[in-house]
Amino acid sequence: MSMQKMMGELHKELANKLLEVVRDPEAKAGDLNVARQFLKDNEITALPADSNVMREILEGLPFDATVDQVQ
């Protein structure tokens, strides 16, 4: 097996394991942080859209979600 294929398999397995961990209702903050860093390292981002979880989170914040301009 080539190194590139092996790294691809490792990446896939890690992603699958992290998904299992995140879906576990007993996931700890540290577990979620590992998953967050995995997404960041792989340049995976999500922006609030009309019908996605990011929009629901944004709307549930206890303050105005608009960003104030610094002048």
Side-chain angles (χ1 to χ4, degrees), residues 8 12 22 39 49 54 64 71:
K12 180 181 173 182
V22 167
L39 294 172
M54 293 300 292
D64 184 7
Q71 298 181 2

Side-chain angles (χ1 to χ4, degrees), residues 6-61:
M6 191 182 326
M7 291 297 112
E9 287 293 316
L10 180 60
H11 191 269
K12 180 181 173 182
E13 290 300 321
L14 179 59
N16 285 328
K17 188 63 176 174
L18 286 172
L19 185 56
E20 285 178 32
V21 169
V22 167
R23 287 180 172 164
D24 183 343
E26 296 185 23
K28 307 280 188 279
D31 300 328
L32 300 177
N33 193 47
V34 170
R36 179 205 55 81
Q37 188 63 48
F38 179 80
L39 294 172
K40 182 178 179 183
D41 290 348
N42 287 278
E43 298 180 8
I44 305 299
T45 60
L47 298 173
D50 289 339
S51 61
N52 71 8
V53 169
M54 293 300 292
R55 173 62 62 192
E56 292 173 23
I57 292 170
L58 186 62
E59 290 173 353
L61 294 174

